[in-house]
Amino acid sequence: MTLFILTETSAGYALLKARDKKLLKRDDIAEQGSTAQGVCDMLKLRKFQKFDSAAVALEEAASVQEGKVTPMLSKLLDDIKEETKVSLAVADPKLGNAIKKLPQLQIKPVSDSTTTDLYRAIRGNLSSLIPGLMPDDINTMSLGLSHSLSRHRLKFSPDKVDTMIIHAISLLDELDKELNTYAMRVKEWYGWHFPEMAKIINDNMAYARVILKIGYRTNATNVDLEEVLPEEIEAAIKVAAEMSMGTDITDDDLDNIKMLATQVVELCEYRTQLSSYLTTRMQAIAPNLTALVGELVGARLIANCGSLMNLAKSPASTIQILGAEKALFRALKSKHDTPKYGLIYHASLVGQATGKNKGKIARILAAKTALGLRMDSLSDWGVSGKNEHAEPTDEEKTSMALDNRLKIERRLRALEGKPLIPRGVKIGPSGQTQPAKFELKEARKYNQDADAVTGSKRQASDDSGDDKENEQHTQKKSKMIEEVGEEAEANGGQDESDSDSEMEDESPAAAAPNARAMTNGHSRDQSDKAQEKAEKAARKAARAAKREAKEAKKELKAAKKASKDAKPSNGAVDSKSKRKHEDVDGADGERKKKKKKHQSS
């Protein structure tokens, strides 16, 4: 059986023919293939198919690695289809199976361990087997093809590099820690001079900018803070500066405080820039993940797994508890309940759920996140190369994630029974909204009633009660006057056709009902007061009757207890007498029985 060897090189395909039909069964292939002369004695070139360009070389090499037979390779193999009883040595088993399925060829491919030494000898002496191919040219072409093939296999694109996200989120977390430390130090340091300002301004950056603007608190009234603070906060700062109880500081102290405040402002500005950069990168790399859990939580998930592809390979149950590994293994070791969520706990949808529903929402969100991750990682969005279809829009990329998010929101609304917080609002871990940058805290008003004695409190309550009654009476009076006025207006509208003299005559008649209504109102008020007094008296009488009934019940209970205490003594005497009679009767009965026995005997 004739043996042919297929070799793929960076320059083209080479088809070699073995001089010995039983070459693969020999044991001296490695020794003979160590020299160029030995390789030439074993093999000879049958045909060489050269690649036309670097792009063609890349396509052919990629197809061969995937185990596909290209038209160029099939054209090369057509040269040996007329041969009978042919075996073809192939380096890749996948490519050998593909060649075996070709209908026009009757070739038996060989791709086992017996061809290893043979291919090693061919690659070491390729320039001697293929005429016109220099070793330097082979090395240059191999290097270029390897680089282009690596880019093709990795689908290289600057938009698909998730390493930038990992570094950005790590730096963002470190910046938050440093900012909190610096801002706390600024507030403590400047608080000795102006302690009231920390209660008015919550934002660290605004606090530092105000320090840079005013310096000493005495300058607050002369400095314009419209660029930094709203008008209400600015007015509150100026009022607090005039009444501040802080200590005085020197110029050196203020200079050092301003230097630290400058660093806080610069770090805050860089943090906002880094946050916007992270948002854009997440939108480009993982749009579905960002739409479901947000850019910060999504970036932390990617950083925890190491890459977007590793995260996409994880199941939903793993995504749900990512970040809670210590708690998971502690629970497994101690045989307790495993955690329900990890980093996904900080997502806005989980934050809006109450304690009993957080686990359910976290499980649903993890399942939908797993689907979105696979769509983000395995899609060809932004990949350089030949694309048959046009690049989809941002709405088309996130359509699946938005639909899934809508389903989760409906489920959450059904579980919670309340409207959801709109997107974009910052939510804390327990579901509360984050405080605003500026917040005015009003001082508590002095309560004068707290200093009053109990008697004065009663008087105050009585006075307030009288005031309420007076208000009710005035309201009733006003209502009566309004009703009468409306009737007068209606009557006036009907009599518009009358003369002026008739109107003057009717005016005193119209005033009479008003006076009657006023007197009726006073009489009704007096009758209401009388009824209220009668009701109060009736209530007092009912309470007194209840008290008397309770006292009578208590007396009856005391009498019953006394009678019970007296009965046991009499009962004891009776019981003793009964026992004596029973003993006597028992003795007489025994004597009678003995007499009967003697008589019978």
Side-chain angles (χ1 to χ4, degrees):
M1 184 178 290
T2 308
L3 177 63
F4 289 93
I5 300 97
L6 178 64
T7 306
E8 306 92 12
T9 66
S10 57
Y13 292 115
L15 187 62
L16 305 175
K17 183 178 181 181
R19 298 180 185 273
D20 187 2
K21 294 182 179 181
K22 298 181 180 180
L23 179 62
L24 297 178
K25 297 180 180 180
R26 291 170 54 178
D27 297 334
D28 57 346
I29 295 176
E31 297 178 359
Q32 190 173 356
S34 59
T35 60
Q37 184 63 36
V39 173
C40 292
D41 293 340
M42 289 189 298
L43 304 170
K44 65 177 182 180
L45 182 64
R46 174 69 181 265
K47 190 176 182 181
F48 180 73
Q49 189 75 30
K50 185 179 179 180
F51 296 142
D52 297 333
S53 62
V56 175
L58 175 60
E59 292 178 3
E60 295 294 330
S63 300
V64 168
Q65 286 189 351
E66 293 174 1
K68 298 178 181 179
V69 180
T70 60
M72 188 176 182
L73 180 58
S74 62
K75 185 178 179 180
L76 176 67
L77 296 175
D78 288 341
D79 193 37
I80 59 172
K81 68 179 181 180
E82 296 179 357
E83 299 283 343
T84 57
K85 296 182 180 180
V86 176
S87 60
L88 180 66
V90 184
D92 190 6
K94 292 182 181 179
L95 183 61
N97 293 330
I99 292 173
K100 187 178 180 180
K101 294 178 182 179
L102 293 176
Q104 69 272 16
L105 297 178
Q106 296 179 356
I107 300 174
K108 181 183 178 182
V110 180
S111 56
D112 52 11
S113 59
T114 57
T115 60
T116 305
D117 294 335
L118 182 60
Y119 274 105
R120 187 180 295 114
I122 292 171
R123 292 191 186 97
N125 302 282
L126 195 61
S127 58
S128 59
L129 289 172
I130 302 173
L133 196 62
M134 304 302 295
D136 296 337
D137 297 338
I138 294 175
N139 294 333
T140 304
M141 287 186 289
S142 299
L143 183 63
L145 182 60
S146 62
H147 285 186
S148 58
L149 186 62
S150 299
R151 291 191 186 94
H152 179 75
R153 289 295 302 273
L154 295 175
K155 294 182 178 180
F156 177 77
S157 175
D159 292 337
K160 302 294 281 186
V161 177
D162 50 8
T163 309
M164 306 300 172
I165 290 177
I166 297 172
H167 291 298
I169 191 63
S170 301
L171 181 58
L172 195 65
D173 293 338
E174 293 176 2
L175 275 177
D176 288 336
K177 293 179 182 178
E178 294 294 330
L179 267 174
N180 289 332
T181 304
Y182 284 7
M184 182 179 64
R185 185 63 59 194
V186 167
K187 288 184 179 180
E188 290 180 356
W189 202 348
Y190 194 71
W192 285 97
H193 180 61
F194 193 3
E196 292 82 6
M197 192 170 75
K199 297 179 181 180
I200 300 173
I201 302 175
N202 296 327
D203 187 50
N204 297 330
M205 189 172 183
Y207 190 92
R209 284 182 173 176
V210 170
I211 293 173
L212 295 175
K213 277 276 187 182
I214 65 175
Y216 294 106
R217 68 170 185 268
T218 55
N219 301 330
T221 56
N222 301 325
V223 177
D224 189 11
L225 300 175
E226 291 182 357
E227 298 178 356
V228 182
L229 300 175
E231 294 180 0
E232 298 177 357
I233 307 298
E234 182 182 0
I237 290 291
K238 290 180 179 180
V239 172
E242 294 177 356
M243 304 173 61
S244 178
M245 299 178 63
T247 60
D248 295 332
I249 57 176
T250 61
D251 294 337
D252 294 337
D253 297 335
L254 185 60
D255 291 339
N256 287 301
I257 293 172
K258 283 187 175 181
M259 289 174 64
L260 184 57
T262 304
Q263 290 186 7
V264 171
V265 171
E266 291 177 355
L267 285 176
C268 286
E269 291 176 352
Y270 177 64
R271 190 200 177 282
T272 54
Q273 180 184 355
L274 185 64
S275 179
S276 62
Y277 164 76
L278 179 64
T279 303
T280 54
R281 299 302 296 171
M282 284 295 295
Q283 289 288 348
I285 294 174
N288 290 284
L289 178 64
T290 306
L292 285 168
V293 299
E295 59 273 3
L296 293 178
V297 179
R300 289 191 177 95
L301 289 172
I302 293 173
N304 194 308
C305 285
S307 66
L308 181 64
M309 185 61 69
N310 292 341
L311 183 60
K313 292 177 182 177
S314 303
S317 57
T318 304
I319 296 171
Q320 183 179 352
I321 59 171
L322 271 179
E325 289 82 5
K326 290 184 180 180
L328 174 64
F329 292 117
R330 192 189 307 118
L332 293 175
K333 186 177 180 180
S334 58
K335 295 182 180 180
H336 285 83
D337 294 335
T338 56
K340 296 180 181 178
Y341 29 67
L343 291 171
I344 206 170
Y345 177 80
H346 299 285
S348 61
L349 290 173
V350 180
Q352 294 184 55
T354 55
K356 62 180 181 180
N357 296 325
K358 283 185 183 294
K360 295 179 182 179
I361 299 301
R363 183 171 63 252
I364 299 170
L365 184 59
K368 303 301 182 184
T369 303
L371 296 176
L373 279 167
R374 287 159 193 170
M375 190 171 182
D376 291 336
S377 60
L378 301 177
S379 62
D380 294 335
W381 301 330
V383 177
S384 58
K386 292 183 178 180
N387 292 327
E388 297 180 358
H389 303 286
E391 183 75 11
T393 60
D394 294 339
E395 295 180 356
E396 293 175 353
K397 291 179 182 179
T398 59
S399 60
M400 186 189 73
L402 294 176
D403 293 342
N404 290 332
R405 184 183 177 89
L406 184 60
K407 293 178 182 177
I408 299 172
E409 289 177 351
R410 289 175 180 171
R411 175 64 175 166
L412 179 59
R413 196 182 297 110
L415 291 173
E416 295 291 329
K418 61 182 181 180
L420 300 179
I421 300 173
R423 293 186 65 182
V425 179
K426 293 183 179 180
I427 301 170
S430 58
Q432 76 280 9
T433 56
Q434 296 291 343
K437 291 184 178 181
F438 311 108
E439 184 178 356
L440 277 175
K441 297 181 179 179
E442 297 182 358
R444 293 182 179 177
K445 295 182 179 179
Y446 183 72
N447 187 9
Q448 296 179 357
D449 296 336
D451 296 338
V453 192
T454 56
S456 62
K457 284 185 181 178
R458 290 175 183 173
Q459 291 177 2
S461 63
D462 294 338
D463 295 338
S464 63
D466 295 338
D467 295 339
K468 289 180 180 178
E469 289 179 358
N470 294 329
E471 289 178 359
Q472 292 176 358
H473 294 322
T474 54
Q475 289 177 0
K476 290 179 180 178
K477 291 177 182 178
S478 62
K479 288 181 180 178
M480 293 294 295
I481 292 167
E482 288 176 358
E483 291 175 358
V484 173
E486 289 176 358
E487 292 176 358
E489 288 178 359
N491 294 328
Q494 293 175 0
D495 300 335
E496 283 181 355
S497 61
D498 298 336
S499 63
D500 296 338
S501 61
E502 291 177 354
M503 290 294 292
E504 290 177 356
D505 296 336
E506 288 177 358
S507 60
N514 292 337
R516 292 174 184 174
M518 293 291 289
T519 55
N520 293 332
H522 286 298
S523 61
R524 288 178 184 175
D525 294 339
Q526 291 177 359
S527 62
D528 293 340
K529 286 182 179 180
Q531 288 179 0
E532 288 178 358
K533 288 181 181 179
E535 289 176 358
K536 286 182 181 179
R539 289 172 188 171
K540 288 181 180 180
R543 289 175 185 173
K546 287 182 180 178
R547 289 173 186 172
E548 292 177 358
K550 286 182 180 179
E551 290 177 357
K553 286 182 180 178
K554 287 181 180 179
E555 292 177 357
L556 289 172
K557 286 182 180 179
K560 287 180 180 179
K561 286 183 180 180
S563 62
K564 285 181 182 179
D565 294 337
K567 284 181 181 179
S569 60
N570 300 330
V573 174
D574 296 338
S575 63
K576 286 180 181 179
S577 60
K578 286 180 181 180
R579 287 175 186 173
K580 287 181 181 180
H581 288 297
E582 287 176 358
D583 294 338
V584 171
D585 294 338
D588 294 338
E590 289 179 358
R591 288 173 186 174
K592 290 179 180 179
K593 288 180 181 180
K594 287 181 181 180
K595 286 181 181 180
K596 287 181 181 181
K597 287 182 181 180
H598 287 296
Q599 291 176 1
S600 62
S601 60

